[in-house]
């Protein structure tokens, strides 16, 4: 017996959009058995995990706070993924963006002015772009896989942030805690709804998602990205430079990740700390794929992932669910999504071996 | 003998095969006698390939019966087919470039003996059939004709009773074709049946004892090619009267529009071809042909002309006096140089995108289908529709994905997309490769009309017949160098054939002559 993988006849559009739903279903089903295995009441835990975060208005506002950075990063990543540029290091670019923006906030600490926030955003975007420029340079100049370089640079970024907040940028009045001062008000994003933590960055994110959609659907650069991803030879024929596309997608996704980092420290966090996010940069990869690399899909999947974060916290409190369960959930979701995608395009056949002695 | 006549080597009874809604084979029946060279004749898409894949066990028929020496058999796999004594030489070779002839053959045959014995057998078989082969040569050092020999010898080592050859001459020089026919006739004399797939009528007349003509998945006729005229067979194959090409009254301007001077490009690929000192000129209204056996630098040359490869010295390529050698593809297009690469799908077009989107690849700036970085969807749709209408492209409309078009229709669309931009210079590679006769006529006619309006056209093709019909002048590319050009009217097939064999064939040529004497 051997396993044969053969392509199916064309997968229909309906199948392409059905796979995320199927993947979510399978994840929930597996979660049920996982909770059962952990000795919890599965139905109750699932309820806390998936439903509770959506029951109150405040719950929804918190989902927006979590979904915001995911959608912002995923919008950028999705554009690169369309061009077969695999930026896996958004977490690192987010971190460097936060360092850039945080540096501005600290440099003008105690001062006030409307120009501080825009300057922070600019510094954040530049930080993310510069950090993404490293894999772009290595890829276009030496053909080094951006998957490896962008991923590994993430760990460098986290350590660099560590050096700053444990060292020169540590809050002098902070009882030696590894964190910077709380930013002044001028360096914090205004809230858009009282009583919630929803900040201006969420509106900007929404605008970015729409702009990304426009870009992919209507502009030559969006077309170029798609052609480079689908048919590199046709892109060369059309006069689209692959290298320029690599630079563009990495700088764009890096810049948006940096902006997301800025929004985090100027929004919910309010200072620089050693660990800025629960892995938004990585989760955004799942968000991008679950959303079919489409801006609207990304918004929906961003909320789903936000539920898994907030629901994970609720279930931790209510059911003593281990913290790792959120990661397991997200991992399962990506796994099932990739599996469903694969199986919608290929079928696996078991075939009896007919080969006799193979030539030696 | 009588007994053999009663039981044909291979008989097909009502073979049918469907792919979803498409009927590829519709109740096909015919039989092949022992020792018979049987032609399977038909246009692309007539169902020839599907049928031979069924015979060779790659595909299974939905209905019908295969009789082998009079007994019904089921052939589930190529392995089983080979066990019955069926060998097949595919149009596209499956050889590992970096391995030797011996290693490739050892990998490809069932129950291979040890390598030393196999090497001896390869030499014996190749001598016997006039197919000289050195088992220790690495594949990448072989010409296409020699590679085909490897495939044929691989089949012959298994003593086949039926040899299937899928378009074997499309990659050969005229001399190589002659040599192949000697081998095939010898096999036939020894009682081996040959199923010979082709759409080249003259070859079939020269070689085959019997012809079965397929059209639209059905047998539409059988004939004796020795008796039937080529025209008669063509009409059976196409199912309608052949369109006569209208050649323009030749008015080639003496003023060259395109000048290529000492074009030298080292290859970037491991087994690629370096272009060495290529020079030629094409006048306004002239169609210039570049002949040659596949893999002699045609792709490299097309890419260098189109601007996919840019050159250091701008004056290497001049268009109406402007030096454009340093410019990329889109900039050259803006100067009036359009091109059609050989590979339709994935190079000339993006299969997953609509026809309208595919117009953007080359016409976005020339025709203003995109302005200030924004795509103009209506304009792109309209242009795609215009190409569809003027070139009679069978497609569901401008929104249909390129992948849904048949090869011939996609080619018409791609050629139309460039031709309707009325370029100053058009570089076109393999304009009618694998395209049915109707589409080929449309494309040739379009090239004539374009030339008439003053475009300088370069046609790179492996199909010598096509070049002889279409071009005013032609030259031959061999191992990255271009021969001096000859006026097509004065060129003979032999002369061009020898140039196609070129320096590259020298060693093989000498060896071949020795052994063909030995054989015949």
């Amino acid at each position: 017996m051997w396993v044969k993988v053969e392509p199916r006849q064309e997968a229909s559009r309906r199948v392409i959009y059905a796979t995320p739903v199927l993947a979510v279903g399978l994840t929930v089903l597996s979660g049920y058995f996982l909770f059962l295995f952990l000795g919890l009441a599965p139905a109750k835990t699932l309820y806390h995990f998936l439903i509770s975060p959506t029951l109150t208005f405040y719950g929804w506002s918190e989902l927006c706070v979590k979904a915001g950075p995911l959608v912002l990063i995923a919008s950028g990543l999705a554009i690169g993924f369309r061009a077969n540029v695999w930026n896996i290091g958004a977490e690192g670019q987010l971190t460097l963006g936060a360092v850039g923006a945080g540096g501005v906030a600290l440099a003008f600490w105690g001062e006030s002015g409307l120009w501080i926030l825009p300057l922070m955003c600019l510094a954040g975007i530049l930080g993310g772009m510069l950090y993404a420029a490293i894999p772009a340079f290595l890829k276009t100049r030496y053909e080094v896989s951006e998957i490896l370089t962008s991923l590994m640079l993430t760990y460098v970024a986290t350590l660099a942030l560590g050096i700053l907040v444990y060292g020169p940028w540590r809050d002098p009045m902070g009882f030696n805690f590894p964190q910077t001062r709380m930013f002044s008000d001028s360096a914090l994003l205004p809230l858009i709804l009282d009583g919630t933590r929803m900040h201006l960055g969420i509106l900007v994110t929404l605008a970015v998602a729409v702009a990304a959609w426009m870009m992919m659907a209507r502009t030559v650069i969006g077309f170029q990205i798609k052609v480079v991803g689908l048919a590199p030879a046709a892109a060369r024929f059309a006069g689209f430079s692959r290298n320029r596309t690599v630079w563009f997608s990495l700088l764009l996704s890096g810049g948006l990740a940096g902006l997301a980092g800025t929004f985090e420290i100027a929004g919910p966090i309010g200072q620089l700390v050693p660990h800025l996010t629960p892995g938004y940069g990585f989760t955004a990869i799942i968000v991008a794929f679950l959303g079919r690399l489409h801006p609207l899909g990304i918004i929906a999947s961003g909320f789903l992932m936000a539920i898994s974060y907030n629901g994970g916290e609720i279930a931790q409190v209510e059911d003593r669910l281990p913290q790792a369960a959120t990661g397991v959930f997200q991992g399962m979701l990506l796994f099932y999504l990739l599996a469903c995608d694969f199986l919608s395009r290929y079928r696996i056949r078991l075939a009896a071996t007919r080969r006799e002695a193979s030539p030696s | 003998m009588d007994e053999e006549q009663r039981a044909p080597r291979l008989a097909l009874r009502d073979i049918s095969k469907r792919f979803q809604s498409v009927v590829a084979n519709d109740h096909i029946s015919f039989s092949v006698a022992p020792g018979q060279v049987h032609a399977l004749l038909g246009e692309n898409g007539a169902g020839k390939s599907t049928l031979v894949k069924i015979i060779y066990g790659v595909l299974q028929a939905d209905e019908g019966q295969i009789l082998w020496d009079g007994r019904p058999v089921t052939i589930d796999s190529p392995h089983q087919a080979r066990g019955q004594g069926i060998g097949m030489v595919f149009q596209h070779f499956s050889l590992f470039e970096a391995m030797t002839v011996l290693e490739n053959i050892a990998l490809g045959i069932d129950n291979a003996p040890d390598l030393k014995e196999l090497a001896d057998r390869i030499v014996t078989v190749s001598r016997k059939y006039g197919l000289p082969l050195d088992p220790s040569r690495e594949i990448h050092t072989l010409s296409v004709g020699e590679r085909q020999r490897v495939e044929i010898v691989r089949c012959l080592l298994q003593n086949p009773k039926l040899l299937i050859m899928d378009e074997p001459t499309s990659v050969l020089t005229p001399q190589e074709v002659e040599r192949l026919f000697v081998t095939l006739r010898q096999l036939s004399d020894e009682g081996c049946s040959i199923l010979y797939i082709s759409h080249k009528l003259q070859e079939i007349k020269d070689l085959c004892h019997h012809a079965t003509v397929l059209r639209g998945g059905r047998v539409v006729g059988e004939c004796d090619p020795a008796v039937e005229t080529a025209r008669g067979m063509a009409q059976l194959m196409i199912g309608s009267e052949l369109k006569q090409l209208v050649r323009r009254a030749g008015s080639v301007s003496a003023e060259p529009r395109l000048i290529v001077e000492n074009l030298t490009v080292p290859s970037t690929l491991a087994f690629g071809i370096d272009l060495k000192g290529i020079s030629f000129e094409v006048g306004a209204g002239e169609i210039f042909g570049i002949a040659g056996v596949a893999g002699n630098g045609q792709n490299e040359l097309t890419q260098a002309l189109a601007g996919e490869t840019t050159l250091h010295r701008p004056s290497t390529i001049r268009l109406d006096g402007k030096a454009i050698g340093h410019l990329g593809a889109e900039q050259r297009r803006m100067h009036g140089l359009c091109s059609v690469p050989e590979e339709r799908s994935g190079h000339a077009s993006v299969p997953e995108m609509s026809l309208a989107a595919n117009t953007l690849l080359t016409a976005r700036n020339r025709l203003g289908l995109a302005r200030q970085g924004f795509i103009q969807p209506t304009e792109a749709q309209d242009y795609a529709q215009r190409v569809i209408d003027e070139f009679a492209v069978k497609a569901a409309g401008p929104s249909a994905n390129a992948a849904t078009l048949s090869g011939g229709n996609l080619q018409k669309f791609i050629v139309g997309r460039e031709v309707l931009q009325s370029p100053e210079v058009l570089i076109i590679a393999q304009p009618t490769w694998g395209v049915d006769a109707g589409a080929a006529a449309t494309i040739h006619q379009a090239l004539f009309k374009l030339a008439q309006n003053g475009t300088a056209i370069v046609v790179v093709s492996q199909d010598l017949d096509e070049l002889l019909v279409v071009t005013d002048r032609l030259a031959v590319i061999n191992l990255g160098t271009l021969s001096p050009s000859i006026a097509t009217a004065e060129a003979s097939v032999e002369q061009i054939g020898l140039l196609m064999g070129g320096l590259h064939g020298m060693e093989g040529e000498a060896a071949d002559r020795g052994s063909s004497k030995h054989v015949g």
Side-chain angles (χ1 to χ4, degrees), chain A residues 189-194 196-203:
Chain A
L189 287 162
L191 296 179
I192 50 175
L193 221 55
D194 281 338
T196 70
R197 300 197 298 157
M198 285 167 76
H199 52 79
L200 193 61
I202 292 169
L203 292 184

Side-chain angles (χ1 to χ4, degrees), chain B residues 266-341:
Chain B
S267 172
T268 48
L269 296 171
F271 299 118
I273 299 282
D274 303 335
L275 299 178
K276 286 167 277 195
I278 290 182
S279 302
F280 63 90
E281 294 179 1
V282 190
E286 186 177 28
I287 304 184
F288 181 75
I290 293 177
V293 176
N296 271 294
Q298 287 95 331
N299 284 336
E300 289 82 355
L301 178 60
T302 319
Q303 296 195 0
L305 293 176
E308 291 188 40
T309 319
T310 51
L311 307 166
H312 291 299
R313 202 157 50 88
S315 63
T316 304
I317 301 177
R318 272 169 294 168
L319 196 168
D320 286 336
K322 286 167 294 189
I324 57 166
H326 59 301
L327 300 178
E330 185 60 15
Q331 288 162 300
R332 287 193 199 180
R333 237 173 249 131
M334 292 308 281
H335 280 91
L337 183 146
C338 289
S339 64
V340 176

